[in-house]
């Protein structure tokens, strides 16, 4: 009798557990099974993101905003990086090569890829002020004229107001700005500062005009030749042949990254020029 009771209890428990499992299966839908190689597309798998990785510059890995050049094998370079590669190779007295396939690149061998330029213009990008997404062809006008979050100066900045803020706050600030109600003396102080800046610019222009108005102006077509110093770390420099100007002989020297001990370890390139007086010209 006891065995029959135990068996009936165990049978009821088994039935309850089975029914709970069935209810659980009915409440929670079965997970979708993906085929081999199939996966869920996330934000990084959107078409524009994948195209951005394909159409980016091979040097800076960024989507170009200007002209796009390609080597003979089709690798893309933005105009800035392309010019930098050519200039850097010339400074090193070497042949410029594509960073991907190492084929020779030059102005004659490389061509612009207009199709990629148009495709990049249609890819979305974020506004730096409001973070809204717009096509790259429209983002410049949006940030300069249409965006309500763009930085704007006060209408009275010419008389000393230093306020800068979002464009949508400009009207409120204009109503509260104290500069329109300042005295004439305070306004004159701000105008004097502006006049001082304009005076400095005018002096610079006058100096340039005076140099160009000299009676004797010598023009020389100079060509730099690469040389290397005899130091432990050889530094590259350039020097022209002697040329005659104003009754004397001169030489122009150009040094690459003259303020650095090892210029080859830097990706930046600067040139410093030195005009050297060699000797008096023979009459």
């Amino acid at each position: 009798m006891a065995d029959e009771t135990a068996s009936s209890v165990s049978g009821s428990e088994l039935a309850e557990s089975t029914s709970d499992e069935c209810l659980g299966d009915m409440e929670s839908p079965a997970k979708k099974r993906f085929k081999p190689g199939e996966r869920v597309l996330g934000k990084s798998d959107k078409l524009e993101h994948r195209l951005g990785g394909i159409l980016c510059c091979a040097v800076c890995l960024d989507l170009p905003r200007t002209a796009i050049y390609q080597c003979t094998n089709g690798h893309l370079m933005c105009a800035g990086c392309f010019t930098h590669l050519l200039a850097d190779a010339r400074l090193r007295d070497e042949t410029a090569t594509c960073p991907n396939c190492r084929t020779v690149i030059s102005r004659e061998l490389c061509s612009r890829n207009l199709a990629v330029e148009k495709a990049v213009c249609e890819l979305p990008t974020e506004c730096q002020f409001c973070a809204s997404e717009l096509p790259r062809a429209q983002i410049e006008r949006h940030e300069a004229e249409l965006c309500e979050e763009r930085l704007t100066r006060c209408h009275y900045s010419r008389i000393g107001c230093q306020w800068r803020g979002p464009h949508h706050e400009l009207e409120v600030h204009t109503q509260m700005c104290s500069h329109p109600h300042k005295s004439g003396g305070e306004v004159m102080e701000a105008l004097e500062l502006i006049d001082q800046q304009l005076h400095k610019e005018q002096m610079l222009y006058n100096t340039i005009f005076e140099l160009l108005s000299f009676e004797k102006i010598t023009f020389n077509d100079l060509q730099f030749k690469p040389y290397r110093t005899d130091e432990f770390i050889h530094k590259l420099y350039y020097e022209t042949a002697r040329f005659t100007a104003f009754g004397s002989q001169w030489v122009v020297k150009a040094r690459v990254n003259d303020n650095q001990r090892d210029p080859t370890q830097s990706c930046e390139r600067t040139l410093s020029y030195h005009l050297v007086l060699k000797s008096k010209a023979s009459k």
Side-chain angles (χ1 to χ4, degrees):
M1 188 70 179
D3 294 338
E4 292 179 358
T5 305
S7 62
S8 62
V9 172
S10 61
S12 61
E13 291 177 353
L14 179 61
E16 289 178 358
S17 62
T18 305
S19 61
D20 291 341
E21 291 178 359
C22 294
L23 289 175
D25 293 340
M26 292 176 63
E27 291 176 358
S28 59
K31 294 183 179 180
K32 181 181 178 181
R33 294 183 179 180
F34 297 98
K35 297 179 181 179
E38 185 180 359
R39 54 195 177 91
V40 181
L41 294 179
K43 182 178 179 181
S44 60
D45 297 315
K46 290 183 179 180
L47 177 61
E48 54 265 25
H49 290 87
R50 298 202 305 273
L51 287 177
I54 296 172
L55 304 179
C56 66
C57 172
V59 182
C60 63
L61 303 180
D62 195 9
L63 284 175
R65 287 180 172 267
T66 55
I68 301 176
Y69 292 86
Q70 65 177 12
C71 70
T72 53
N73 291 330
H75 297 121
L76 304 175
M77 292 165 283
C78 64
C81 292
F82 178 64
T83 305
H84 178 79
L85 288 175
L86 297 181
D88 192 60
R90 179 169 294 183
L91 288 175
R92 294 172 177 268
D93 195 20
E94 298 174 353
T95 302
T97 57
C98 172
N100 276 6
C101 59
R102 298 302 175 186
T103 186
V104 178
I105 59 175
S106 65
R107 293 285 183 184
E108 294 76 20
L109 296 176
C110 296
S111 60
R112 288 181 61 178
N113 194 321
L114 301 180
V116 174
E117 291 180 13
K118 293 179 180 179
V120 170
C121 288
E122 297 301 324
L123 291 178
T125 185
E126 285 189 357
C127 172
Q128 60 177 328
F129 302 115
C130 64
S132 58
E133 286 194 353
L134 292 169
R136 290 177 173 267
Q138 303 175 9
I139 195 66
E140 185 174 353
R141 180 172 179 268
H142 170 78
E143 293 178 347
E145 303 176 6
L146 304 178
C147 182
E148 291 295 327
E149 297 292 336
R150 69 184 188 274
L151 290 179
T152 310
R153 291 183 178 272
C154 177
H155 293 312
Y156 304 103
S157 60
R158 290 187 174 273
I159 58 174
C161 182
Q162 301 294 326
W163 180 87
R164 292 187 66 189
H167 184 265
H168 63 83
E169 297 180 3
L170 177 61
E171 185 177 354
V172 177
H173 168 76
T174 303
Q175 296 175 357
M176 301 175 59
C177 185
S178 60
H179 283 75
H181 309 289
K182 286 192 173 183
S183 62
E186 294 174 335
V187 174
M188 286 299 298
E189 291 180 0
L191 294 178
E192 286 177 359
L193 293 176
I194 297 175
D195 287 341
Q196 291 177 5
Q197 295 178 356
L198 294 176
H199 182 65
K200 291 180 180 179
E201 294 179 0
Q202 189 66 36
M203 290 180 61
L204 176 61
Y205 295 147
N206 291 338
T207 303
I208 296 174
F209 292 148
E210 288 178 2
L211 293 174
L212 295 176
S213 62
F214 283 163
E215 294 181 0
K216 293 183 179 180
I217 298 179
T218 302
F219 295 93
N220 289 280
D221 184 13
L222 304 179
Q223 294 184 356
F224 288 90
K225 293 184 178 180
Y227 297 93
R228 294 189 181 274
T229 61
D230 296 330
E231 303 173 4
F232 178 73
I233 299 178
H234 300 292
K235 291 185 178 181
L236 180 66
Y237 72 95
Y238 295 84
E239 185 174 326
T240 64
R242 293 192 179 190
F243 61 95
T244 303
F246 304 110
S248 303
Q249 289 189 349
W250 308 81
V251 167
V252 177
K253 291 185 178 181
R255 292 185 177 272
V256 183
N257 293 21
D258 196 23
N259 58 342
Q260 296 180 359
R261 184 173 180 271
D262 191 358
T264 59
Q265 301 299 321
S266 174
C267 61
E268 297 181 357
R269 293 290 180 266
T270 58
L271 285 174
S272 57
Y273 297 93
H274 302 274
L275 180 62
V276 182
L277 176 63
K278 285 297 184 179
S279 63
K280 292 288 184 179
S282 58
K283 295 183 179 180

